[in-house]
Amino acid sequence: MAASKSSKSSSTVSRKASSSSNTSVKSKPTRSAIGAPSQLNQSSRKGKRAWRKNVDLGDVEETLEEIRAEERVTGTALHKMQDTELFQIDTKGDDKIRHTLPRYSAAQLTSTKILAQRSAVPAVFSRITSSSSLNKRKALLSREEKERLMRIAKRPRKGPFNSILDPSEYAAGSGTVELSDAVKQSGTYDPWAEEQAVEEVKDGMETVSKKTIKPPALKRTRDLIEIPAIVEPHQGTSYNPPVEAHLELLEKAASIEAKRLRDAEKLAEIKAKMEGARLTQEEYDIAVAAGMTVQAVQDDKDDENVASEGEEEPVPSVKKVPERKTKAQRNRATRVLAEKRALAEKAHRKRLLASISDVKTLRRTTAQAMSTQEQEREERRIALVEKLKKHGVAGQKLGKHKVPEGRVDVQIGEDLSESLRGLKPEGSLFHDRFQSLQQRALIEPRVRVLPKKRRNRMIEYEKHAWKRFE
Protein backbone atom coordinates (compact mmCIF):
# COMPACT_ATOMS: atom_id res chain seq x y z
CA MET A 1 0.00 0.00 0.00
CA ALA A 2 2.81 2.32 0.86
CA ALA A 3 4.50 1.57 -2.42
CA SER A 4 1.32 2.31 -4.38
CA LYS A 5 0.85 5.61 -2.62
CA SER A 6 4.40 6.64 -3.34
CA SER A 7 3.99 5.71 -6.98
CA LYS A 8 0.80 7.78 -7.22
CA SER A 9 2.43 10.78 -5.64
CA SER A 10 5.37 10.51 -7.97
CA SER A 11 3.06 10.26 -10.97
CA THR A 12 1.14 13.39 -9.94
CA VAL A 13 4.40 15.30 -9.45
CA SER A 14 5.57 14.20 -12.86
CA ARG A 15 2.27 15.33 -14.44
CA LYS A 16 2.47 18.72 -12.79
CA ALA A 17 6.04 19.14 -13.97
CA SER A 18 5.08 18.10 -17.47
CA SER A 19 2.09 20.44 -17.51
CA SER A 20 4.22 23.32 -16.25
CA SER A 21 6.78 22.61 -18.93
CA ASN A 22 4.05 22.50 -21.59
CA THR A 23 2.56 25.80 -20.48
CA SER A 24 5.97 27.41 -20.53
CA VAL A 25 6.47 26.23 -24.08
CA LYS A 26 3.00 27.19 -25.37
CA SER A 27 2.84 30.68 -23.75
CA LYS A 28 2.13 33.35 -26.42
CA PRO A 29 2.12 37.12 -26.28
CA THR A 30 -1.13 38.86 -25.48
CA ARG A 31 -0.72 41.36 -28.36
CA SER A 32 0.38 40.85 -31.94
CA ALA A 33 3.48 42.36 -33.49
CA ILE A 34 1.49 45.00 -35.48
CA GLY A 35 -0.43 46.21 -32.45
CA ALA A 36 -3.74 44.35 -33.06
CA PRO A 37 -5.28 42.59 -30.06
CA SER A 38 -4.47 38.89 -29.83
CA GLN A 39 -6.98 36.16 -28.95
CA LEU A 40 -4.73 33.11 -29.08
CA ASN A 41 -5.36 31.82 -25.57
CA GLN A 42 -7.69 28.88 -26.10
CA SER A 43 -10.00 28.70 -23.12
CA SER A 44 -11.89 25.82 -24.74
CA ARG A 45 -11.62 23.46 -27.72
CA LYS A 46 -15.30 22.70 -28.02
CA GLY A 47 -16.70 23.53 -31.47
CA LYS A 48 -15.29 25.02 -34.63
CA ARG A 49 -15.99 28.57 -33.49
CA ALA A 50 -13.45 28.36 -30.70
CA TRP A 51 -10.85 26.93 -33.08
CA ARG A 52 -11.44 29.69 -35.69
CA LYS A 53 -11.36 32.42 -33.07
CA ASN A 54 -8.05 31.33 -31.56
CA VAL A 55 -6.11 30.65 -34.78
CA ASP A 56 -2.72 32.35 -34.85
CA LEU A 57 -2.65 34.87 -37.78
CA GLY A 58 0.51 36.71 -36.82
CA ASP A 59 2.50 35.63 -39.90
CA VAL A 60 -0.31 36.58 -42.30
CA GLU A 61 -0.77 39.99 -40.72
CA GLU A 62 2.92 40.67 -40.79
CA THR A 63 3.09 39.84 -44.50
CA LEU A 64 0.08 42.06 -45.26
CA GLU A 65 1.62 44.92 -43.32
CA GLU A 66 4.84 44.59 -45.36
CA ILE A 67 2.82 44.78 -48.58
CA ARG A 68 0.99 47.91 -47.30
CA ALA A 69 4.35 49.54 -46.48
CA GLU A 70 5.56 48.81 -50.02
CA GLU A 71 2.39 50.38 -51.44
CA ARG A 72 2.88 53.52 -49.34
CA VAL A 73 6.42 53.94 -50.68
CA THR A 74 6.10 52.86 -54.32
CA GLY A 75 2.36 53.09 -54.92
CA THR A 76 1.93 49.34 -55.53
CA ALA A 77 3.28 46.00 -54.32
CA LEU A 78 6.82 45.11 -55.39
CA HIS A 79 5.88 41.65 -56.72
CA LYS A 80 3.49 43.34 -59.17
CA MET A 81 6.20 45.55 -60.67
CA GLN A 82 8.43 44.65 -63.57
CA ASP A 83 12.19 44.24 -63.25
CA THR A 84 12.79 47.25 -65.45
CA GLU A 85 10.83 49.36 -62.97
CA LEU A 86 12.78 48.02 -60.01
CA PHE A 87 16.32 47.92 -61.40
CA GLN A 88 18.30 49.98 -63.83
CA ILE A 89 21.93 50.15 -64.90
CA ASP A 90 23.40 53.53 -64.00
CA THR A 91 26.23 54.38 -66.36
CA LYS A 92 26.38 58.14 -65.85
CA GLY A 93 25.29 59.11 -62.34
CA ASP A 94 23.24 62.04 -61.16
CA ASP A 95 24.83 65.29 -60.01
CA LYS A 96 21.61 66.70 -58.59
CA ILE A 97 20.80 63.82 -56.31
CA ARG A 98 22.31 65.60 -53.34
CA HIS A 99 19.81 68.44 -53.79
CA THR A 100 16.82 66.16 -54.08
CA LEU A 101 17.61 63.96 -51.10
CA PRO A 102 16.18 65.21 -47.80
CA ARG A 103 18.72 66.62 -45.42
CA TYR A 104 19.11 65.24 -41.97
CA SER A 105 18.20 67.68 -39.22
CA ALA A 106 18.55 66.85 -35.56
CA ALA A 107 16.32 69.82 -34.64
CA GLN A 108 13.40 68.60 -36.75
CA LEU A 109 10.37 67.59 -34.73
CA THR A 110 9.07 64.05 -34.77
CA SER A 111 5.62 65.26 -35.82
CA THR A 112 7.19 67.08 -38.78
CA LYS A 113 8.99 63.89 -39.82
CA ILE A 114 5.73 61.92 -39.65
CA LEU A 115 3.88 64.50 -41.73
CA ALA A 116 6.70 64.57 -44.27
CA GLN A 117 6.22 60.85 -45.04
CA ARG A 118 3.64 61.19 -47.79
CA SER A 119 2.04 58.02 -49.10
CA ALA A 120 2.23 57.15 -52.78
CA VAL A 121 -1.29 55.69 -52.66
CA PRO A 122 -3.84 58.22 -54.02
CA ALA A 123 -6.34 59.55 -51.51
CA VAL A 124 -9.95 58.43 -51.47
CA PHE A 125 -12.38 61.18 -52.55
CA SER A 126 -16.00 61.33 -51.46
CA ARG A 127 -17.00 63.14 -54.64
CA ILE A 128 -16.10 62.48 -58.23
CA THR A 129 -13.16 64.52 -59.48
CA SER A 130 -11.53 64.81 -62.83
CA SER A 131 -8.56 62.70 -61.75
CA SER A 132 -10.69 59.95 -60.21
CA SER A 133 -13.08 59.77 -63.14
CA LEU A 134 -10.47 59.37 -65.86
CA ASN A 135 -10.52 55.60 -65.77
CA LYS A 136 -14.29 55.45 -65.43
CA ARG A 137 -16.53 55.18 -68.42
CA LYS A 138 -18.57 58.27 -69.06
CA ALA A 139 -22.34 57.94 -69.02
CA LEU A 140 -23.79 57.75 -72.47
CA LEU A 141 -26.97 59.64 -71.45
CA SER A 142 -27.40 62.48 -69.03
CA ARG A 143 -30.13 62.48 -66.43
CA GLU A 144 -32.22 65.07 -68.28
CA GLU A 145 -31.93 63.19 -71.57
CA LYS A 146 -32.88 59.93 -69.85
CA GLU A 147 -35.97 61.51 -68.29
CA ARG A 148 -36.98 62.99 -71.64
CA LEU A 149 -36.73 59.60 -73.35
CA MET A 150 -38.72 57.98 -70.54
CA ARG A 151 -41.43 60.62 -70.94
CA ILE A 152 -41.60 59.95 -74.65
CA ALA A 153 -41.79 56.18 -74.07
CA LYS A 154 -44.30 56.70 -71.22
CA ARG A 155 -42.31 54.45 -68.96
CA PRO A 156 -43.09 54.51 -65.25
CA ARG A 157 -40.92 57.02 -63.46
CA LYS A 158 -40.14 57.25 -59.77
CA GLY A 159 -40.98 60.39 -57.88
CA PRO A 160 -40.14 61.43 -54.34
CA PHE A 161 -39.84 58.60 -51.79
CA ASN A 162 -39.55 56.10 -54.70
CA SER A 163 -43.22 56.55 -55.56
CA ILE A 164 -44.27 55.77 -59.12
CA LEU A 165 -45.93 58.73 -60.80
CA ASP A 166 -49.26 58.42 -62.53
CA PRO A 167 -48.74 58.51 -66.34
CA SER A 168 -51.92 60.59 -66.71
CA GLU A 169 -50.28 63.37 -64.74
CA TYR A 170 -47.30 63.72 -67.07
CA ALA A 171 -49.25 65.92 -69.46
CA ALA A 172 -52.74 66.21 -70.84
CA GLY A 173 -52.72 64.51 -74.24
CA SER A 174 -49.00 64.68 -74.93
CA GLY A 175 -46.06 62.41 -74.39
CA THR A 176 -43.47 65.11 -73.73
CA VAL A 177 -43.54 67.55 -70.87
CA GLU A 178 -41.14 70.47 -71.28
CA LEU A 179 -40.29 73.13 -68.72
CA SER A 180 -42.69 76.05 -68.56
CA ASP A 181 -41.65 79.58 -69.45
CA ALA A 182 -42.00 80.63 -65.82
CA VAL A 183 -39.45 77.99 -64.77
CA LYS A 184 -37.08 78.89 -67.60
CA GLN A 185 -37.22 82.61 -66.75
CA SER A 186 -37.04 82.13 -62.99
CA GLY A 187 -34.34 84.15 -61.28
CA THR A 188 -34.00 86.69 -64.10
CA TYR A 189 -36.52 89.27 -62.81
CA ASP A 190 -35.27 91.77 -60.27
CA PRO A 191 -38.17 93.68 -58.62
CA TRP A 192 -35.78 96.33 -57.19
CA ALA A 193 -33.98 97.12 -60.42
CA GLU A 194 -34.63 100.37 -62.23
CA GLU A 195 -37.00 100.23 -65.16
CA GLN A 196 -35.20 100.33 -68.46
CA ALA A 197 -36.56 102.36 -71.31
CA VAL A 198 -38.14 100.16 -73.97
CA GLU A 199 -36.99 101.01 -77.47
CA GLU A 200 -39.92 101.40 -79.83
CA VAL A 201 -39.54 99.56 -83.09
CA LYS A 202 -40.93 101.58 -85.97
CA ASP A 203 -42.46 98.84 -88.05
CA GLY A 204 -45.32 100.88 -89.44
CA MET A 205 -47.77 99.74 -86.76
CA GLU A 206 -49.13 101.80 -83.89
CA THR A 207 -47.32 101.07 -80.66
CA VAL A 208 -48.61 102.06 -77.25
CA SER A 209 -46.03 102.59 -74.52
CA LYS A 210 -46.70 103.51 -70.93
CA LYS A 211 -45.64 107.04 -70.18
CA THR A 212 -43.25 107.34 -67.27
CA ILE A 213 -44.34 109.91 -64.71
CA LYS A 214 -41.51 111.70 -63.01
CA PRO A 215 -42.09 112.47 -59.34
CA PRO A 216 -41.91 116.13 -58.38
CA ALA A 217 -38.49 117.17 -57.13
CA LEU A 218 -39.73 118.80 -53.94
CA LYS A 219 -37.80 118.97 -50.73
CA ARG A 220 -39.47 117.54 -47.70
CA THR A 221 -39.94 119.67 -44.61
CA ARG A 222 -37.90 117.16 -42.66
CA ASP A 223 -34.89 117.75 -44.95
CA LEU A 224 -34.95 121.52 -44.37
CA ILE A 225 -34.73 121.27 -40.57
CA GLU A 226 -31.18 121.52 -39.27
CA ILE A 227 -31.70 121.64 -35.52
CA PRO A 228 -29.82 118.92 -33.63
CA ALA A 229 -31.58 116.17 -31.72
CA ILE A 230 -30.25 117.47 -28.41
CA VAL A 231 -30.20 121.26 -28.33
CA GLU A 232 -27.51 122.91 -26.23
CA PRO A 233 -29.21 124.54 -23.23
CA HIS A 234 -29.11 128.28 -22.63
CA GLN A 235 -26.33 129.61 -20.47
CA GLY A 236 -28.85 131.07 -18.03
CA THR A 237 -30.18 127.63 -17.05
CA SER A 238 -26.98 126.83 -15.17
CA TYR A 239 -26.95 126.42 -11.39
CA ASN A 240 -24.51 129.34 -11.19
CA PRO A 241 -25.18 131.39 -14.40
CA PRO A 242 -23.73 134.74 -15.42
CA VAL A 243 -25.88 137.74 -14.56
CA GLU A 244 -26.48 138.87 -18.16
CA ALA A 245 -27.49 135.38 -19.38
CA HIS A 246 -29.75 134.87 -16.38
CA LEU A 247 -31.52 138.23 -16.90
CA GLU A 248 -31.93 137.54 -20.61
CA LEU A 249 -33.54 134.18 -19.93
CA LEU A 250 -35.80 135.72 -17.28
CA GLU A 251 -37.01 138.37 -19.77
CA LYS A 252 -37.70 135.70 -22.34
CA ALA A 253 -39.70 133.61 -19.89
CA ALA A 254 -41.60 136.76 -18.75
CA SER A 255 -42.52 137.66 -22.34
CA ILE A 256 -43.81 134.16 -23.00
CA GLU A 257 -45.87 134.23 -19.81
CA ALA A 258 -47.25 137.71 -20.62
CA LYS A 259 -48.30 136.51 -24.07
CA ARG A 260 -50.03 133.54 -22.54
CA LEU A 261 -51.92 135.79 -20.10
CA ARG A 262 -52.98 138.14 -22.90
CA ASP A 263 -54.32 135.25 -24.93
CA ALA A 264 -56.19 133.95 -21.88
CA GLU A 265 -57.74 137.39 -21.21
CA LYS A 266 -58.73 137.78 -24.83
CA LEU A 267 -60.36 134.36 -24.82
CA ALA A 268 -62.19 135.21 -21.59
CA GLU A 269 -63.54 138.47 -23.12
CA ILE A 270 -64.77 136.62 -26.19
CA LYS A 271 -66.50 134.05 -24.01
CA ALA A 272 -68.10 136.82 -21.91
CA LYS A 273 -69.41 138.55 -25.04
CA MET A 274 -70.83 135.29 -26.30
CA GLU A 275 -72.53 134.66 -22.98
CA GLY A 276 -73.94 138.21 -22.88
CA ALA A 277 -75.25 138.02 -26.45
CA ARG A 278 -77.05 134.76 -25.83
CA LEU A 279 -80.84 135.36 -25.43
CA THR A 280 -82.95 133.02 -23.43
CA GLN A 281 -86.70 132.65 -23.14
CA GLU A 282 -86.59 133.04 -19.34
CA GLU A 283 -85.15 136.58 -19.52
CA TYR A 284 -87.73 138.12 -21.88
CA ASP A 285 -90.67 135.76 -21.42
CA ILE A 286 -91.40 135.91 -25.12
CA ALA A 287 -90.91 133.47 -27.91
CA VAL A 288 -88.63 134.95 -30.49
CA ALA A 289 -89.29 133.61 -33.94
CA ALA A 290 -86.53 132.78 -36.33
CA GLY A 291 -85.39 135.84 -38.26
CA MET A 292 -86.69 138.45 -35.77
CA THR A 293 -84.38 140.75 -33.83
CA VAL A 294 -84.64 141.67 -30.20
CA GLN A 295 -84.85 145.42 -30.98
CA ALA A 296 -87.89 144.94 -33.19
CA VAL A 297 -89.62 142.97 -30.48
CA GLN A 298 -88.78 145.67 -27.91
CA ASP A 299 -90.15 148.46 -30.15
CA ASP A 300 -93.39 146.56 -30.61
CA LYS A 301 -93.63 146.17 -26.87
CA ASP A 302 -93.09 149.91 -26.32
CA ASP A 303 -95.76 150.73 -28.90
CA GLU A 304 -98.20 148.51 -27.07
CA ASN A 305 -97.38 150.27 -23.77
CA VAL A 306 -97.94 153.70 -25.34
CA ALA A 307 -101.23 152.59 -26.83
CA SER A 308 -102.33 151.22 -23.48
CA GLU A 309 -101.89 154.65 -21.81
CA GLY A 310 -104.89 156.02 -23.69
CA GLU A 311 -103.31 157.94 -26.53
CA GLU A 312 -104.89 157.76 -29.93
CA GLU A 313 -103.41 155.23 -32.24
CA PRO A 314 -101.91 156.73 -35.42
CA VAL A 315 -103.83 155.95 -38.55
CA PRO A 316 -101.69 153.74 -40.73
CA SER A 317 -100.89 155.35 -44.06
CA VAL A 318 -102.30 153.52 -47.05
CA LYS A 319 -99.65 152.80 -49.61
CA LYS A 320 -100.53 154.35 -52.94
CA VAL A 321 -100.65 151.88 -55.79
CA PRO A 322 -98.82 153.26 -58.84
CA GLU A 323 -101.03 153.90 -61.81
CA ARG A 324 -100.60 151.93 -64.99
CA LYS A 325 -98.36 153.73 -67.51
CA THR A 326 -99.61 154.47 -70.96
CA LYS A 327 -97.86 153.36 -74.08
CA ALA A 328 -96.42 156.85 -74.71
CA GLN A 329 -94.97 156.95 -71.18
CA ARG A 330 -93.34 153.55 -71.62
CA ASN A 331 -91.84 154.63 -74.97
CA ARG A 332 -90.50 157.82 -73.38
CA ALA A 333 -88.89 155.84 -70.52
CA THR A 334 -87.34 153.49 -73.03
CA ARG A 335 -85.83 156.40 -75.01
CA VAL A 336 -84.46 157.99 -71.83
CA LEU A 337 -82.84 154.70 -70.77
CA ALA A 338 -81.27 154.25 -74.22
CA GLU A 339 -79.89 157.81 -74.11
CA LYS A 340 -78.38 157.18 -70.65
CA ARG A 341 -76.71 153.98 -71.85
CA ALA A 342 -75.34 155.72 -74.94
CA LEU A 343 -73.89 158.54 -72.82
CA ALA A 344 -72.32 156.03 -70.40
CA GLU A 345 -70.82 154.08 -73.31
CA LYS A 346 -69.46 157.29 -74.83
CA ALA A 347 -67.88 158.34 -71.53
CA HIS A 348 -66.30 154.86 -71.10
CA ARG A 349 -64.87 154.97 -74.61
CA LYS A 350 -63.50 158.45 -74.00
CA ARG A 351 -61.77 157.30 -70.82
CA LEU A 352 -60.41 154.24 -72.66
CA LEU A 353 -58.97 156.38 -75.46
CA ALA A 354 -57.44 158.70 -72.92
CA SER A 355 -55.78 155.78 -71.12
CA ILE A 356 -54.08 154.51 -74.28
CA SER A 357 -51.35 157.03 -73.85
CA ASP A 358 -50.78 155.78 -70.31
CA VAL A 359 -50.29 152.12 -71.33
CA LYS A 360 -46.54 152.20 -70.80
CA THR A 361 -46.96 153.80 -67.40
CA LEU A 362 -49.58 151.22 -66.42
CA ARG A 363 -47.40 148.40 -67.66
CA ARG A 364 -44.44 149.74 -65.70
CA THR A 365 -46.59 150.12 -62.59
CA THR A 366 -48.01 146.62 -62.96
CA ALA A 367 -44.56 145.10 -63.45
CA GLN A 368 -43.29 146.98 -60.43
CA ALA A 369 -46.21 145.77 -58.32
CA MET A 370 -45.66 142.19 -59.52
CA SER A 371 -41.96 142.36 -58.77
CA THR A 372 -42.73 143.74 -55.33
CA GLN A 373 -45.15 140.88 -54.69
CA GLU A 374 -42.61 138.36 -55.93
CA GLN A 375 -39.95 139.88 -53.73
CA GLU A 376 -42.23 139.80 -50.69
CA ARG A 377 -43.18 136.20 -51.46
CA GLU A 378 -39.51 135.24 -51.78
CA GLU A 379 -38.71 137.01 -48.51
CA ARG A 380 -41.53 135.13 -46.77
CA ARG A 381 -40.25 131.85 -48.19
CA ILE A 382 -36.69 132.57 -47.07
CA ALA A 383 -37.92 133.59 -43.62
CA LEU A 384 -39.93 130.36 -43.39
CA VAL A 385 -36.90 128.29 -44.42
CA GLU A 386 -34.72 130.04 -41.85
CA LYS A 387 -37.34 129.47 -39.19
CA LEU A 388 -37.50 125.80 -40.10
CA LYS A 389 -33.72 125.52 -39.91
CA LYS A 390 -33.51 127.13 -36.47
CA HIS A 391 -36.76 126.17 -34.72
CA GLY A 392 -38.25 123.38 -36.84
CA VAL A 393 -42.06 123.21 -37.00
CA ALA A 394 -42.51 124.50 -33.45
CA GLY A 395 -45.65 126.60 -33.11
CA GLN A 396 -47.29 125.31 -36.31
CA LYS A 397 -50.52 123.36 -36.39
CA LEU A 398 -50.13 120.01 -38.12
CA GLY A 399 -53.33 118.02 -38.24
CA LYS A 400 -55.48 118.26 -35.15
CA HIS A 401 -52.86 119.51 -32.72
CA LYS A 402 -50.22 122.20 -32.55
CA VAL A 403 -46.53 121.44 -32.26
CA PRO A 404 -45.41 122.66 -28.82
CA GLU A 405 -42.67 125.24 -28.56
CA GLY A 406 -39.68 124.74 -26.35
CA ARG A 407 -40.45 125.69 -22.78
CA VAL A 408 -38.06 127.92 -20.84
CA ASP A 409 -36.74 126.35 -17.64
CA VAL A 410 -35.35 129.14 -15.48
CA GLN A 411 -35.08 129.77 -11.77
CA ILE A 412 -35.33 133.09 -10.02
CA GLY A 413 -32.34 134.43 -8.12
CA GLU A 414 -33.64 133.19 -4.79
CA ASP A 415 -33.90 129.58 -5.94
CA LEU A 416 -30.43 129.29 -7.44
CA SER A 417 -28.38 126.72 -5.53
CA GLU A 418 -24.92 127.99 -6.65
CA SER A 419 -23.51 124.51 -5.96
CA LEU A 420 -23.95 121.07 -7.42
CA ARG A 421 -24.57 119.60 -3.98
CA GLY A 422 -27.77 121.56 -3.46
CA LEU A 423 -28.97 121.35 -7.10
CA LYS A 424 -32.45 119.91 -7.65
CA PRO A 425 -33.17 118.20 -10.99
CA GLU A 426 -35.96 119.72 -13.05
CA GLY A 427 -37.76 118.78 -16.23
CA SER A 428 -38.07 115.39 -17.90
CA LEU A 429 -35.71 113.81 -20.41
CA PHE A 430 -38.56 111.84 -21.96
CA HIS A 431 -40.57 115.06 -22.45
CA ASP A 432 -37.59 116.78 -24.06
CA ARG A 433 -36.89 113.91 -26.45
CA PHE A 434 -40.55 113.57 -27.44
CA GLN A 435 -40.81 117.34 -28.03
CA SER A 436 -37.61 117.26 -30.13
CA LEU A 437 -39.04 114.52 -32.34
CA GLN A 438 -42.18 116.60 -32.92
CA GLN A 439 -40.25 119.79 -33.70
CA ARG A 440 -38.00 117.96 -36.19
CA ALA A 441 -41.09 116.61 -38.01
CA LEU A 442 -40.18 113.00 -37.30
CA ILE A 443 -43.51 112.22 -35.63
CA GLU A 444 -46.88 113.94 -35.71
CA PRO A 445 -47.90 116.19 -32.81
CA ARG A 446 -49.72 114.36 -30.06
CA VAL A 447 -51.36 115.31 -26.78
CA ARG A 448 -51.57 113.26 -23.66
CA VAL A 449 -54.76 111.23 -23.40
CA LEU A 450 -55.95 111.31 -19.81
CA PRO A 451 -58.22 108.58 -18.48
CA LYS A 452 -61.86 109.62 -18.33
CA LYS A 453 -64.38 108.76 -15.71
CA ARG A 454 -66.98 106.20 -16.51
CA ARG A 455 -70.12 107.92 -17.76
CA ASN A 456 -72.37 104.89 -17.80
CA ARG A 457 -74.03 104.26 -14.50
CA MET A 458 -73.84 100.77 -13.17
CA ILE A 459 -77.28 99.24 -12.83
CA GLU A 460 -77.59 96.35 -10.42
CA TYR A 461 -80.28 93.75 -10.98
CA GLU A 462 -81.55 91.34 -8.37
CA LYS A 463 -82.47 88.02 -9.82
CA HIS A 464 -85.93 86.61 -9.28
CA ALA A 465 -84.60 83.55 -7.50
CA TRP A 466 -83.13 85.72 -4.72
CA LYS A 467 -86.26 87.76 -4.17
CA ARG A 468 -88.18 84.89 -2.70
CA PHE A 469 -86.13 83.72 0.20
CA GLU A 470 -87.32 82.48 3.53
Side-chain angles (χ1 to χ4, degrees):
M1 291 295 291
S4 62
K5 287 182 180 180
S6 62
S7 62
K8 287 182 180 180
S9 61
S10 60
S11 62
T12 53
V13 170
S14 62
R15 287 176 185 171
K16 288 180 180 180
S18 61
S19 62
S20 62
S21 62
N22 292 334
T23 53
S24 62
V25 173
K26 293 183 178 180
S27 61
K28 296 180 181 179
T30 56
R31 293 182 64 86
S32 64
I34 60 174
S38 178
Q39 297 179 352
L40 306 179
N41 297 329
Q42 297 183 3
S43 60
S44 174
R45 294 191 179 187
K46 295 180 180 178
K48 295 181 179 180
R49 183 176 300 177
W51 283 91
R52 293 196 187 108
K53 186 177 181 181
N54 298 299
V55 172
D56 187 6
L57 299 177
D59 299 338
V60 179
E61 291 176 356
E62 187 177 355
T63 306
L64 293 176
E65 186 62 26
E66 291 177 358
I67 295 175
R68 293 191 193 100
E70 294 173 359
E71 290 180 354
R72 284 194 294 270
V73 176
T74 60
T76 181
L78 295 178
H79 64 273
K80 295 181 180 179
M81 300 176 67
Q82 301 293 333
D83 294 342
T84 55
E85 297 176 358
L86 294 174
F87 307 101
Q88 63 178 354
I89 300 173
D90 186 9
T91 59
K92 188 176 180 181
D94 193 357
D95 297 335
K96 298 181 181 180
I97 192 161
R98 293 184 178 273
H99 301 285
T100 57
L101 290 176
R103 295 182 178 180
Y104 174 76
S105 176
Q108 191 177 10
L109 298 177
T110 307
S111 59
T112 309
K113 295 179 181 179
I114 295 172
L115 293 175
Q117 296 176 359
R118 308 301 297 173
S119 176
V121 180
V124 180
F125 294 94
S126 59
R127 56 186 179 86
I128 299 176
T129 58
S130 58
S131 60
S132 60
S133 60
L134 291 176
N135 298 329
K136 293 184 179 179
R137 182 181 179 184
K138 294 184 178 179
L140 299 178
L141 294 177
S142 61
R143 183 176 59 84
E144 292 79 4
E145 186 68 17
K146 186 176 180 180
E147 289 183 358
R148 189 182 69 83
L149 294 176
M150 292 183 69
R151 284 197 300 269
I152 294 174
K154 295 184 179 181
R155 293 288 184 87
R157 289 178 294 162
K158 291 185 178 181
F161 305 107
N162 292 330
S163 60
I164 298 177
L165 300 178
D166 188 4
S168 62
E169 296 181 359
Y170 294 165
S174 102
T176 60
V177 180
E178 300 295 338
L179 297 176
S180 61
D181 295 338
V183 176
K184 291 179 180 178
Q185 298 178 2
S186 62
T188 58
Y189 175 70
D190 187 6
W192 308 108
E194 297 181 358
E195 296 183 1
Q196 299 180 357
V198 181
E199 297 181 359
E200 297 182 359
V201 181
K202 297 181 180 180
D203 52 355
M205 301 178 65
E206 293 182 359
T207 57
V208 180
S209 60
K210 187 176 180 180
K211 187 177 180 180
T212 57
I213 301 175
K214 294 183 179 180
L218 299 177
K219 291 186 177 180
R220 298 182 299 178
T221 307
R222 186 187 307 170
D223 300 335
L224 299 176
I225 299 174
E226 296 181 358
I227 58 176
I230 300 176
V231 183
E232 184 178 355
H234 194 272
Q235 194 176 4
T237 58
S238 175
Y239 65 93
N240 190 11
V243 179
E244 296 81 3
H246 189 239
L247 291 177
E248 180 184 354
L249 194 60
L250 280 175
E251 291 177 358
K252 184 178 179 181
S255 62
I256 293 175
E257 186 65 21
K259 182 181 178 182
R260 187 186 65 82
L261 292 176
R262 286 196 301 268
D263 294 342
E265 291 176 359
K266 187 177 180 180
L267 183 60
E269 290 177 2
I270 294 174
K271 290 182 69 175
K273 289 181 180 179
M274 292 175 64
E275 291 292 338
R278 183 175 295 140
L279 301 178
T280 58
Q281 186 177 359
E282 291 78 6
E283 292 180 358
Y284 297 97
D285 296 332
I286 57 173
V288 181
M292 296 178 64
T293 59
V294 179
Q295 187 66 31
V297 175
Q298 189 69 24
D299 292 342
D300 295 342
K301 198 172 183 180
D302 295 341
D303 294 341
E304 290 177 1
N305 295 334
V306 172
S308 62
E309 291 180 358
E311 295 181 1
E312 296 181 358
E313 296 181 359
V315 179
S317 59
V318 181
K319 189 176 181 180
K320 187 177 180 180
V321 180
E323 297 180 357
R324 184 180 179 83
K325 292 182 179 181
T326 61
K327 187 174 182 181
Q329 291 176 348
R330 291 197 296 272
N331 293 337
R332 191 182 301 111
T334 304
R335 287 196 301 271
V336 171
L337 182 60
E339 290 177 0
K340 288 182 179 180
R341 288 179 178 175
L343 291 174
E345 184 69 23
K346 186 176 180 181
H348 176 67
R349 188 177 299 172
K350 189 176 180 180
R351 289 193 300 270
L352 184 63
L353 291 174
S355 64
I356 290 176
S357 58
D358 300 336
V359 170
K360 293 183 178 180
T361 307
L362 292 175
R363 185 181 299 169
R364 192 181 304 110
T365 306
T366 305
Q368 187 177 1
M370 292 294 291
S371 62
T372 306
Q373 292 179 2
E374 287 290 334
Q375 187 176 0
E376 292 177 355
R377 189 181 299 109
E378 186 66 20
E379 290 177 357
R380 288 195 299 269
R381 189 187 66 81
I382 293 174
L384 180 60
V385 171
E386 292 295 330
K387 184 180 178 182
L388 286 174
K389 286 182 179 180
K390 294 181 180 180
H391 306 287
V393 292
Q396 300 182 14
K397 186 177 181 181
L398 301 178
K400 296 171 60 177
H401 308 293
K402 187 178 180 181
V403 179
E405 298 181 2
R407 60 184 182 182
V408 179
D409 296 331
V410 62
Q411 295 179 344
I412 60 177
E414 300 174 358
D415 297 339
L416 291 175
S417 61
E418 298 184 359
S419 64
L420 284 173
R421 190 180 299 275
L423 181 64
K424 296 181 180 179
E426 293 184 0
S428 173
L429 292 177
F430 174 78
H431 180 272
D432 296 342
R433 297 288 77 74
F434 190 72
Q435 183 174 298
S436 176
L437 291 174
Q438 291 178 346
Q439 292 177 355
R440 287 182 291 141
L442 296 177
I443 59 174
E444 60 182 358
R446 299 287 187 90
V447 295
R448 185 179 179 184
V449 180
L450 299 175
K452 297 181 180 179
K453 293 183 179 180
R454 184 166 185 152
R455 295 183 178 180
N456 299 333
R457 183 172 58 87
M458 295 293 295
I459 302 176
E460 296 181 358
Y461 293 95
E462 188 177 0
K463 292 187 178 180
H464 191 73
W466 300 100
K467 290 181 181 179
R468 299 177 180 178
F469 59 89
E470 297 179 359

